Amino acid sequence: MTTTFFLIRHAAHDNVGSYLAGRMAGVCLGEAGKAQAEQLGCRMARETIAAILCSPRERTQETALPIALACGVGEIAICAELDEIDFGDWSGKTFDELNGDASWRAWNDQRQEARTPSGETMLDVQQRIVSLMNGIRERHQNQCVALVSHADVIKAAVCKVLGLPVGDCFRFDIDPASITTMVSGDWGSKLLRMNEAA
């Protein structure tokens, strides 16, 4: 009995890479991101998807909708466990501003132990995504499920499957509108593909 997971990073918003969006409201897909989301829908239409879950952020919901339409999934479940890391006061700041903050540098240099201003750690993020996936596996055995989330959340899941410390999340990329595929069963989990472009 296995479950296949498609972990999908949201498509690009207009200012991706210029500031830390975090859990800010109103961060939506731009025209390029909307095109990426449509491409994701076309790609995922080749799969038989039993359920789609996504983060509460607007950009993930906008990414999930074309996938749901293409795959004939009537409902997208909003799931807090897939939410972006809670960056607290860092949210909305440019990366130039953040680079002058010692605690931001510690977050990036010591990801194993560091906490965001809200108190969340990468281990906390890993625990919530892995726990969610374990629960989904019980409900969707021998089915495929799409999870639309954020780069660091997906990285935390990849690190768990590969047995890497969460601090090694900088050793690989999870691009906007990419698909990372895992399969999970009673025997454990394995990574099939990572950072696949739609």
Side-chain angles (χ1 to χ4, degrees), residues 67-86:
I67 298 169
L69 292 172
C71 296
V73 176
E75 183 179 349
I76 299 167
I78 306 302
C79 192
E81 291 90 341
L82 294 172
D83 206 351
E84 176 62 285
I85 293 173
D86 186 354

Side-chain angles (χ1 to χ4, degrees), residues 74-185:
E75 183 179 349
I76 299 167
I78 306 302
C79 192
E81 291 90 341
L82 294 172
D83 206 351
E84 176 62 285
I85 293 173
D86 186 354
F87 288 112
D89 294 343
W90 291 340
S91 295
K93 292 188 176 180
T94 67
F95 290 108
D96 285 341
E97 290 176 296
L98 288 168
N99 287 333
D101 184 330
S103 58
W104 170 256
R105 292 195 305 273
W107 167 255
N108 288 298
D109 294 340
Q110 303 161 28
R111 193 62 70 93
Q112 290 284 105
E113 300 86 16
R115 293 181 179 273
T116 66
S118 72
E120 192 164 35
T121 68
M122 274 296 281
L123 286 173
D124 294 330
V125 175
Q126 186 177 71
Q127 184 176 34
R128 61 177 158 94
I129 181 65
V130 170
S131 176
L132 174 69
M133 292 172 73
N134 286 340
I136 291 169
R137 185 168 60 82
E138 294 300 316
R139 298 190 302 275
H140 291 284
Q141 294 186 358
N142 294 328
Q143 293 181 317
C144 299
V145 176
L147 307 178
V148 185
S149 189
H150 305 268
D152 282 343
V153 180
I154 296 170
K155 285 185 171 198
V158 170
C159 285
K160 180 68 173 180
V161 169
L162 295 182
L164 297 173
V166 289
D168 283 355
C169 65
F170 296 112
R171 296 176 63 185
F172 56 90
D173 291 325
I174 299 294
D175 295 325
S178 65
I179 306 162
T180 295
T181 307
M182 300 176 182
V183 64
S184 181

Side-chain angles (χ1 to χ4, degrees), residues 6-11 40 52-56 59-61 63-64 67 76 82-83 146-150 154:
F6 297 100
L7 285 79
I8 300 167
R9 183 181 174 188
H10 63 81
L40 278 168
I52 300 174
L53 293 80
C54 83
S55 152
R59 58 196 184 272
T60 53
Q61 294 181 54
T63 301
I67 298 169
I76 299 167
L82 294 172
D83 206 351
L147 307 178
V148 185
S149 189
H150 305 268
I154 296 170

